[in-house]
Amino acid sequence: MVDFTITSAWYDSAALAAVNEQLTQERVVQLSSFFIEPLGQLPPAKHLKREERPGFAVRTTGPALLTELWHSLLLADWLAQATAAHWELRSCRHECYGPGDYSLLHDSEVGEQRLLLMYDLTEQPQALNGGHNIFSFADGMQTTCNRETGALVLALLAAGDLECMRYVSKLSSGTVRLEHAQFRQSQPITQ
Amino acid sequence: MRSFDSDIDVIGHPFPHAIIRNFLDLDAIADELEWLAGQEFESGEADLFSYSSTSELGAAKQLMGLHAALGDSAWCSQLATAFRTPPLSHIDMAAYVYAQGDFLLPHDDRVAGRQIAYSLHLTRGLREDDGGALELFSSRDSVASNVVKRIVPEFNSLVVFRVSPRSWHQVAEVVGDAQRLTVTGWYHG
């Protein structure tokens, strides 16, 4: 049984306000130790498929391990508090990037505003060997998120905003593993 | 300044390219190569690449011989004939260094005006296990498929290829200690 209890610090009203402000202004926020338990008891990923699309993405993907979380009311309620909006899950998957893997900057299949969540399952991240997220926004702003085990990345993306996984060096001895979930806004919160 | 004085042997698969060995007359151009090695290389990184490069060098007086070797009218004419392109009008030229961990991911080089891409390799003794090979992809419907040819950079060799929707290529990550130095650019038409 995986414990999805969100760290109490992320329920603090000041923290929620800070998340909201950073997401509004910078559009990307990385929250360390998002869950009380680091999800070490996750079952191994299954049904993984190799995706070889040179010039777009080279990686391994499979069904999300945290499907229960991505569909949960717990997360939906927390997202509503942190973003002042309600979000509906569009898709989720598990992604692995080994040495030599990458995805290039790409748009979403649908150009609408979306909230991207990535939960980092990488064991022993190696910052010098790539494998970090790059966000490139339509207004020219660019943000990088380094790997951090147990951190949740939230990115608020609109039409024309791009994201990618920077190439993982062949010198890396590890694999970047993360859960990737996209949400679309169902309705703003009216007060 | 050119040592090469033969017909260009164009290889059709996976897209038209040629490997021209012993391209430069090294004795004649030694001072220019020394000047080039002393230039400032600025590191750059994006989703597609990681390398260091100079600014555009086509107007550098210190590289007039190299510029002529790569871009004089006789050579442009020979290339245009070999690759069946429109007449080539001019080249651009910059130097690139790939150190350990640097790479260039798959792309096709297509930008308006580019007819032929070139890369003059200027590192001695690069071995296959150092990485840094120029890798050519097969493609289907202008989408890259698989690496079907690896060209290990050989000192004083010029690699040229026709820019087209099929010209998918990449530079494999340099994993050894060697630094991969090239002068690279495009022939425009």
Side-chain angles (χ1 to χ4, degrees):
Chain A
M1 184 72 182
V2 178
D3 184 357
F4 290 136
T5 306
I6 296 171
T7 306
S8 60
W10 296 120
Y11 278 113
D12 179 80
S13 57
L16 286 166
V19 170
N20 194 337
E21 185 178 353
Q22 188 174 343
L23 205 52
T24 303
Q25 293 187 358
E26 299 176 27
R27 290 164 284 185
V28 178
V29 58
Q30 186 172 30
L31 309 180
S32 300
S33 304
F34 188 70
F35 297 110
I36 289 177
E37 294 291 331
L39 300 183
Q41 302 305 313
L42 278 176
K46 291 180 180 175
H47 308 297
L48 295 176
K49 286 185 179 172
R50 190 70 182 150
E51 183 181 350
E52 299 266 1
R53 297 163 71 188
F56 175 70
V58 175
R59 60 191 172 191
T60 303
T61 61
L65 295 177
L66 306 182
T67 308
E68 188 184 334
L69 168 71
W70 301 130
H71 285 95
S72 70
L73 275 177
L74 171 94
L75 181 66
D77 288 345
W78 186 86
L79 286 176
Q81 292 180 63
T83 66
H86 290 293
W87 298 91
E88 177 186 341
L89 182 66
R90 272 186 53 199
S91 63
C92 58
R93 64 175 180 264
H94 186 71
E95 294 183 353
C96 300
Y97 294 83
D101 290 354
Y102 63 89
S103 69
L104 295 183
L105 284 171
H106 61 279
D107 202 344
S108 169
E109 294 81 5
V110 183
E112 65 189 15
Q113 187 177 61
R114 62 201 189 279
L115 183 66
L116 173 62
L117 266 60
M118 285 181 287
Y119 186 74
D120 199 331
L121 296 166
T122 308
E123 294 170 15
Q124 300 178 321
Q126 300 169 33
L128 295 178
N129 284 324
H132 49 269
N133 294 106
I134 302 173
F135 299 94
S136 182
F137 295 95
D139 62 5
M141 187 175 148
Q142 190 155 305
T143 300
T144 296
C145 268
N146 289 324
R147 297 268 63 85
E148 183 183 331
T149 310
L152 181 74
V153 171
L154 292 85
L156 195 55
L157 304 174
D161 295 339
L162 310 172
E163 50 120 350
C164 75
M165 175 66 70
R166 197 271 197 185
Y167 174 85
V168 179
S169 172
K170 290 176 182 169
L171 301 168
S172 170
S173 58
T175 295
V176 171
R177 295 175 61 218
L178 50 89
E179 287 281 297
H180 183 288
Q182 285 200 82
F183 293 77
R184 68 176 149 223
Q185 192 170 340
S186 52
Q187 62 186 72
I189 290 177
T190 52
Q191 302 198 354
Chain B
M1 297 290 183
R2 264 192 312 278
S3 163
F4 179 78
D5 185 23
S6 306
D7 291 338
I8 299 170
D9 181 17
V10 176
I11 302 159
H13 181 73
F15 48 84
H17 67 282
I19 304 167
I20 300 163
R21 296 185 171 82
N22 300 314
F23 179 71
L24 294 174
D25 177 346
L26 294 172
D27 290 336
I29 216 157
D31 289 346
E32 295 195 15
L33 296 184
E34 191 176 329
W35 181 86
L36 179 66
Q39 293 311 291
E40 186 173 333
F41 288 77
E42 186 174 344
S43 63
E45 166 138 355
D47 62 326
L48 189 68
F49 65 83
S50 172
Y51 53 61
S52 299
S53 62
T54 64
S55 55
E56 166 63 28
L57 294 171
K61 290 177 183 173
Q62 296 87 344
L63 295 178
M64 286 176 62
L66 182 58
H67 192 267
L70 287 164
D72 68 18
S73 58
W75 180 244
C76 285
S77 177
Q78 193 175 346
L79 278 173
T81 301
F83 282 94
R84 300 177 183 175
T85 70
L88 302 173
S89 56
H90 65 282
I91 65 168
D92 44 30
M93 187 168 105
Y96 296 81
V97 166
Y98 290 72
Q100 190 176 67
D102 285 341
F103 60 88
L104 175 61
L105 296 178
H107 63 291
D108 63 12
D109 263 9
R110 278 193 300 159
V111 171
R114 291 178 180 175
Q115 298 291 336
I116 293 172
Y118 73 89
S119 194
L120 175 62
H121 298 289
L122 294 172
T123 299
R124 291 180 190 270
L126 211 58
R127 299 170 309 170
E128 187 165 5
D129 56 7
D130 287 322
L134 177 65
E135 299 182 331
L136 311 185
F137 287 83
S138 60
S139 64
R140 179 178 292 178
D141 298 331
S142 304
V143 176
S145 300
N146 301 303
V147 172
V148 293
K149 184 165 186 174
R150 289 187 172 85
I151 302 172
V152 177
E154 187 178 318
F155 180 68
N156 198 20
S157 67
L158 179 72
V159 177
V160 283
F161 61 82
R162 182 81 159 97
V163 175
S164 77
R166 294 164 54 204
S167 55
W168 284 91
H169 62 286
Q170 67 179 1
V171 176
E173 180 185 357
V174 172
V175 293
D177 290 333
Q179 294 205 331
R180 178 191 193 270
L181 171 65
T182 66
V183 170
T184 297
W186 295 270
Y187 293 85
H188 296 259

